[in-house]
Amino acid sequence: MSTPTIKENSAAALVARFLQARGVDRVFALCGGHIMPLWMRLDAQGIRIIDVRDERAAVYMAHAHAELTGGLGVAVVTAGPGVTNAMTGIANAHVAKAPVLVLSGTPPQAQENRGALQDMVHTDFVRPLTRYARTVRQPELVLQELDEAVSRALGQGGEPGPVYLDFPVDTLRGEVPRALLQPEQLQGLPRARVLPDPQAVQRAVELLWSARRPLVISGRGARGAGPQLARLLEQLGAPYLDTGESRGLIADDHPSVVAAMRGSVMGEADLVVTVGRRLDFQLAYGSPAVFGAARFLRIADCAGELRDNRRGAAEVFATPAEALEAILQAGAGRTPATERDWVQTLRSKHLERAGKLVASMKAAPPGADGRMHPNRLLAALREALPADAVLVADGGDFLSFARVGLPASTYLDPGSLGCIGVGTPFGIAASLACPGRTVVVATGDGSFGFNAMEIDTAARHRAPVLIVVANNGSWAIEVRDQQETHGKVVGTRLQFADHAAMARAFGVHGERVERSEDLAGAIGRALAVVGQGRPALLDVVVTPDAVSSDAKSGLAWVPDLQALAAWDEAERRWRASAD
């Protein structure tokens, strides 16, 4: 029996043409029989296939690609276990609101519900995690379903996030009548921008220009509003906090940045402005226990970032760049009431603390075991990395060191799902999406293990990424929590495995570093390899004795009311005071 031919007018070919028309030049994928027609037509269409070692990594890479390019990320996975493997990546994109299109296949329709290989109703699994999930059985419907799915992914008419389509294999092989190829569905339309209601803008202006201690906090939704956000900060003279979702949007040397005074400014502000940012656990759910009597101004283009947990005294539903521009225009010529001395004090203390941190990192003492402190590694990276480096931070314990120890103009991390293990896949996608920029993954050893095999993907596709593994041989936050809370360590210690040897086995430049005095040379050699267009890995042995801020915060033991122990205690006091 001959293998069916995948014709140029097939549904599979139409999917490939659609993706190319929408600006997709690469997909992240793992092959399988149920998607083979699509796989071959993608290649025929000139779309690059970054083939990975695990479907979860394919979705992570598509996620990172989307966030870094501002476009659509595409993952292609096979049926059954291919989809179930991908679900963690889909869940992370769901929480992060990342526009990712996941494509898969199913058995031919004549074999549905008969026990065919990998015959599963994938849409039932992924529907709670996606903005759109469909099985497309008719070739004639492929184009309109693709158009609708991508529109949903990009947040056109709703919240952005992952979408999912699968196709029976016979559908992919089926022919699509030329008359059904509507150009507006193939090419798409420009993304609509939501303009703000003038009355909401005026309410926002009154709040902003009358506040004595305004605080601005940005998130995911602010990414396209950097210039407008900077102008607002300058007009108000307000302090500013970023989050991992929008880090780098405002440069660290901007006079409004007060990141090192996060706890103080959150408690002292009389107006808190969120721009495209949820009030989730990282912001104490907006609770008065932490923010006191502050009022809130919420600015966002989706409900999940506009009114979650704490309603605003004013709320502006609009594309954040448009909302901020309208606010700036309406407030032009007014004199803000911002207490300049308060802001200057915050900024001075921030600079003082930041300077002390940098100095302390360079001199951080080794642990009782004689191994180097992770801050010595971070200090060496600070000195070696260019200002425009793309930083991917990953881990539990090590992430809490890296997110404060390493500056970044472009930054990715596991996000509010706490989806550790994204580091290497994110870094590979970043290095391919940002040619000419240095991409560094700073990851703990536990997190690295989730997707360590993707160094093979980096090698095969010559992804110029530097992966730095801080190897403390443990799940350190959990070790400390077990020691302090339970008096016994159970199942949270790892080996000080030689990850550099693993890298070399795949043809990747790998060095193991055990002394701080060897860091500069090793980092220099690794960056030279990356500069030649190849990946490199440094396995840096660090002490598990170092105590991170997250280890001290109570995060590991999961308090009842708030994520952090101090906030949980404040929440209890505040609730009791109302009785």
Side-chain angles (χ1 to χ4, degrees):
M1 177 181 175
S2 61
T3 303
T5 302
I6 313 302
K7 299 179 181 179
E8 291 190 7
N9 64 340
S10 66
L14 177 57
V15 174
R17 290 204 305 277
F18 172 89
L19 293 178
Q20 189 174 66
R22 294 301 179 95
V24 175
D25 60 0
R26 68 177 62 99
V27 301
F28 305 92
L30 205 162
C31 198
H34 293 99
I35 55 173
M36 189 62 73
L38 176 57
W39 190 279
M40 300 312 297
R41 292 310 309 181
L42 288 168
D43 177 70
Q45 198 67 33
I47 294 175
R48 184 178 179 186
I49 298 173
I50 308 299
D51 55 306
V52 302
R53 299 299 301 269
D54 187 282
E55 288 88 356
R56 151 183 65 172
V59 184
Y60 290 157
M61 291 182 195
H63 177 161
H65 178 87
E67 295 207 351
L68 291 168
T69 64
L72 180 72
V74 181
V76 182
V77 302
T78 198
V83 174
T84 57
N85 285 349
M87 285 180 66
T88 301
I90 297 172
N92 197 39
H94 163 66
V95 173
K97 300 180 176 64
V100 172
L101 169 64
V102 180
L103 300 174
S104 187
T106 66
Q109 294 174 74
Q111 299 183 44
E112 280 188 21
N113 302 316
R114 300 183 65 194
L117 175 66
Q118 298 177 341
D119 185 10
M120 308 186 83
V121 184
H122 304 132
T123 51
D124 285 353
F125 298 159
V126 302
R127 188 167 287 114
L129 303 174
T130 57
R131 307 296 180 265
Y132 194 74
R134 294 285 190 277
T135 295
V136 185
R137 291 182 171 83
Q138 299 301 319
E140 295 85 353
L141 298 180
V142 166
L143 185 56
Q144 73 178 56
E145 288 287 6
L146 284 166
D147 180 47
E148 182 64 22
V150 171
S151 298
R152 300 281 188 102
L154 296 172
Q156 295 176 2
E159 192 172 81
V163 294
Y164 174 88
L165 293 177
D166 61 21
F167 312 85
V169 181
D170 55 327
T171 299
L172 288 173
R173 292 191 284 253
E175 298 181 12
V176 180
R178 186 175 298 276
L180 297 180
L181 303 184
Q182 300 297 319
E184 63 271 18
Q185 289 181 329
L186 190 65
Q187 300 294 334
L189 299 171
R191 292 194 212 181
R193 300 181 71 78
V194 181
L195 300 179
D197 175 64
Q199 293 183 343
V201 169
Q202 195 57 47
R203 288 192 293 270
V205 168
E206 295 302 324
L207 283 174
L208 286 164
W209 267 262
S210 65
R212 300 183 65 82
R213 295 187 171 191
L215 167 65
V216 179
I217 305 174
S218 66
R220 177 212 65 85
R223 288 179 191 150
Q228 294 85 355
L229 179 59
R231 286 165 50 209
L232 180 69
L233 293 172
E234 289 155 11
Q235 283 200 23
L236 295 175
Y240 168 74
L241 295 176
D242 66 11
T243 58
E245 297 177 359
S246 59
R247 187 169 171 189
L249 195 63
I250 299 296
D252 288 343
D253 60 1
H254 192 285
S256 289
V257 172
V258 294
M261 299 300 295
R262 175 187 174 95
S264 297
V265 71
M266 286 169 62
E268 295 173 4
D270 65 358
L271 176 67
V272 178
V273 184
T274 63
V275 184
R277 185 60 169 86
R278 291 191 67 193
L279 288 171
D280 60 9
F281 73 95
Q282 299 172 88
L283 292 173
Y285 310 114
S287 172
V290 173
F291 288 96
R295 292 182 295 175
F296 279 72
L297 167 60
R298 310 294 301 275
I299 301 170
D301 60 0
C302 66
E305 295 166 350
L306 188 72
R307 54 179 180 265
D308 65 305
N309 289 314
R310 182 78 180 262
R311 296 300 296 258
E315 297 171 348
V316 184
F317 175 70
T319 301
E322 299 289 347
L324 294 178
E325 186 63 43
I327 288 168
L328 287 162
Q329 294 296 327
R334 298 184 60 157
T335 301
T338 306
E339 293 180 3
R340 301 287 176 164
D341 289 346
W342 174 66
V343 180
Q344 289 171 3
T345 299
L346 286 168
R347 177 65 178 173
S348 296
K349 289 183 177 179
H350 160 79
L351 292 173
E352 181 182 356
R353 286 189 178 181
K356 287 181 178 178
L357 173 65
V358 173
S360 68
M361 288 168 61
K362 294 178 180 178
D369 56 6
R371 298 184 175 99
M372 81 172 82
H373 194 288
N375 273 340
R376 295 294 290 271
L377 164 60
L378 296 175
L381 285 172
R382 282 183 70 103
E383 293 184 353
L385 297 181
D388 69 342
V390 178
L391 173 63
V392 180
D394 190 17
D397 196 60
F398 185 62
L399 174 62
S400 66
F401 286 110
R403 69 171 176 245
V404 297
L406 290 176
S409 59
T410 304
Y411 175 84
L412 297 172
D413 70 15
S416 56
L417 185 61
C419 194
I420 62 174
V422 299
T424 299
F426 272 19
I428 291 169
S431 70
L432 297 173
C434 304
R437 296 178 65 183
T438 300
V439 177
V440 176
V441 176
T443 178
D445 55 328
S447 296
F448 174 69
F450 281 103
N451 286 286
M453 280 298 291
E454 297 306 327
I455 60 175
D456 172 58
T457 304
R460 287 183 292 106
H461 290 278
R462 295 182 66 87
V465 57
L466 170 57
I467 301 166
V468 181
V469 182
N471 186 350
N472 65 8
S474 66
W475 301 102
I477 290 180
E478 286 73 20
V479 168
R480 181 164 295 276
D481 176 55
Q482 289 179 342
Q483 289 172 329
E484 296 178 352
T485 306
H486 306 284
K488 184 180 182 182
V489 177
V490 181
T492 52
R493 287 202 170 106
L494 305 171
Q495 301 181 63
F496 285 93
D498 191 342
H499 303 299
M502 177 184 180
R504 291 192 297 272
F506 286 100
V508 172
H509 173 89
E511 292 188 47
R512 187 175 175 92
V513 184
E514 300 187 54
R515 302 187 309 163
S516 58
E517 54 265 38
D518 296 331
L519 282 169
I523 293 171
R525 288 187 293 274
L527 287 174
V529 170
V530 170
Q532 296 167 4
R534 294 182 289 123
L537 183 144
L538 296 179
D539 182 34
V540 183
V541 179
V542 298
T543 180
D545 297 339
V547 184
S548 70
S549 58
D550 282 357
K552 298 174 185 176
S553 70
L555 192 67
W557 59 266
V558 193
D560 289 342
L561 303 179
Q562 290 279 356
L564 307 183
W567 289 355
D568 187 73
E569 292 169 5
E571 185 78 21
R572 292 176 187 279
R573 290 193 300 269
W574 173 68
R575 294 188 182 192
S577 69
D579 293 339

